[in-house]
Amino acid sequence: MNSKLFPRAATSLAAAFAAVAIAVPGAFAAGVDFAGEKVTIIVPFKEGGGADVYARLFQPYLSKYLPGKPTVIVRNQPGGGSVKGANKFQESKPDGLTAMACSTSTLVPFALGNDKVKYDVLSWRPVILSPRGAIFYVNPKTGARGKDIVADIKALQKAKLTYGAKNPTSSELRGLLGFQMLGMNNVNTVFGLSSGEQRKAFLRGEININYDTAGSYSRKVAKFEKEGKVVPVFTMGYGAADGSIKRDPAYPEMATMTEAYEKVYGKAPSGPSADAYVAFLHMGVTASKSLVLPKGTPDEIVDAWVDATKKVVADPQFRKTAKKVIGAYEQSYGADAAKVLKMATGIEPETKAWLKGWIKERFNHDM
């Protein structure tokens, strides 16, 4: 079942994907040469997280395909849920020698107008944007069995749930908004946990509901299903070109959160919590990971990076290595990626106001 997005979101998403469908020329501009140079990919998180894995996946191949075959290194600059590193990146020279691995947790504070944010996502020059699905799973002691989505939601509405997050405005907010939409209101949130720490806490029984990207779930969590420690319940789904939310291509047998809502309540979700959830679907899935260059980077350098990145993605060895990280999702590049990024961070003012109020009421956190 496909769940229709709300009209404004559907229109913007369809327009963005229509742009993505247009091919970008592959050849980079003559004269761009990084021979003998050192290229740094900033990761505004500590080692081991999703953005770090993403950057290190591309690192050796960019050294091969960027013009001049430069040395490419990854530098972790964590702090403030990526805000510290992103603020520093905002002032980087636009010479093609510095890029950043951007994540949902970088987009959210910008989209919500966090006063600590000094960076402007829309000023950056995207190279590649990679969607990543989100798989939600629970401890079987919650009463969910993974066989009947209506029964599972009703069980989770009654259960005492504990969920982990980095902070009140990090990428985990997508889950909290989905839980709110589904009437799963008895959720205690433990802050200060990275994605890897959340997963470990779940497996130790310290939290009982969690999510992972489709790739991380298949690599690190799915094996525990057979041991009876994990029950996958739903996904966020995937924003399609026609404005609908389709099932995740990595787990097409699983219902989406909006599909679960329709099955439980007999109608499509609506209202501010649903609008906020859709906004986070775009930031959390459609624009989950990306490589970006600093503001003011000349077109010829952006083109060189885009050309090199397309060659990386087409490389047979990269495709083999990246299969479980990037998955079956369509990548977008350059100007097309910029349009999708703009759509993903363009939360309507009334939705943003509701969301700020909800975060304040729920977590006593001022935006």
Side-chain angles (χ1 to χ4, degrees):
M1 177 183 293
N2 297 335
S3 303
K4 283 292 180 181
L5 299 179
F6 316 104
R8 287 175 299 194
T11 301
S12 59
L13 184 59
F17 273 83
V20 171
I22 301 173
V24 178
F28 59 81
V32 177
D33 187 357
F34 299 127
E37 301 283 4
K38 180 175 71 175
V39 171
T40 300
I41 302 175
I42 293 173
V43 176
F45 302 92
K46 63 183 181 180
E47 294 181 9
D52 184 66
V53 171
Y54 185 76
R56 294 179 191 279
L57 178 68
F58 280 93
Q59 176 190 2
Y61 295 93
L62 286 171
S63 184
K64 177 180 179 181
Y65 289 114
L66 280 171
K69 302 184 185 301
T71 299
V72 179
I73 66 169
V74 173
R75 179 176 296 162
N76 297 84
Q77 295 183 341
S82 83
V83 170
K84 182 178 179 180
N87 281 343
K88 187 172 182 179
F89 173 75
Q90 184 69 27
E91 303 306 319
S92 297
K93 293 181 180 180
D95 54 8
L97 299 180
T98 303
M100 186 176 75
C102 185
S103 180
T104 302
S105 291
T106 313
L107 303 181
V108 172
F110 169 78
L112 296 182
N114 189 312
D115 60 6
K116 294 183 180 180
V117 169
K118 308 304 179 186
Y119 57 86
D120 180 1
V121 171
L122 299 182
S123 73
W124 298 340
R125 305 296 308 274
V127 175
I128 182 173
L129 188 149
S130 301
R132 304 180 85 182
I135 312 301
F136 285 82
Y137 53 95
V138 299
N139 187 305
K141 292 180 181 179
T142 60
R145 296 292 177 261
K147 296 180 180 179
D148 181 332
I149 188 62
V150 174
D152 285 347
I153 297 301
K154 290 183 177 180
L156 294 173
Q157 288 172 339
K158 297 176 182 178
K160 292 183 178 180
L161 302 174
T162 305
Y163 182 66
K166 300 179 191 71
N167 59 64
T169 61
S170 59
S171 59
E172 293 80 17
L173 191 55
R174 70 182 94 176
L176 292 166
L177 288 167
F179 305 156
Q180 165 89 9
M181 181 178 71
L182 289 168
M184 296 159 49
N185 297 317
N186 193 13
V187 183
N188 176 46
T189 306
V190 179
F191 293 115
L193 301 179
S194 68
S195 298
E197 290 168 339
Q198 292 162 30
R199 188 183 309 113
K200 291 176 182 178
F202 179 92
L203 294 173
R204 291 194 299 263
E206 295 166 359
I207 64 176
N208 59 5
I209 186 167
N210 194 37
Y211 85 93
D212 266 301
T213 64
S216 292
Y217 183 83
S218 64
R219 294 195 315 274
K220 301 177 181 180
V221 181
K223 59 187 176 183
F224 294 105
E225 289 182 40
K226 293 182 179 180
E227 298 179 21
K229 295 180 179 179
V230 172
V231 177
V233 283
F234 42 67
T235 75
M236 283 196 77
Y238 181 72
D242 63 359
S244 64
I245 299 176
K246 296 185 181 296
R247 290 192 173 192
D248 193 300
Y251 285 88
E253 73 282 3
M254 292 181 63
T256 68
M257 277 187 167
T258 47
E259 186 178 345
Y261 183 97
E262 291 176 3
K263 288 183 177 293
V264 172
Y265 296 105
K267 59 181 180 179
S270 61
S273 65
D275 289 339
Y277 171 78
V278 170
F280 273 76
L281 168 69
H282 299 332
M283 283 189 281
V285 176
T286 313
S288 176
K289 294 289 181 287
S290 58
L291 286 178
V292 297
L293 295 170
K295 66 175 181 179
T297 301
D299 289 346
E300 60 269 23
I301 293 178
V302 176
D303 291 345
W305 268 82
V306 168
D307 180 75
T309 306
K310 286 184 175 182
K311 290 176 180 176
V312 171
V313 173
D315 185 290
Q317 186 58 43
F318 176 86
R319 293 175 70 87
K320 182 179 179 180
T321 304
K323 184 177 180 180
K324 291 184 178 181
V325 177
I326 292 181
Y329 308 97
E330 182 179 0
Q331 311 297 296
S332 56
Y333 302 89
D336 294 338
K339 292 174 182 177
V340 177
L341 203 57
K342 183 176 182 179
M343 177 275 297
T345 55
I347 301 178
E348 295 290 338
E350 57 268 34
T351 302
K352 186 184 295 187
W354 177 88
L355 191 52
K356 287 183 176 181
W358 182 77
I359 291 171
K360 171 64 176 177
E361 180 182 355
R362 185 78 179 268
F363 306 116
N364 195 29
H365 179 82
D366 287 311
M367 293 297 299

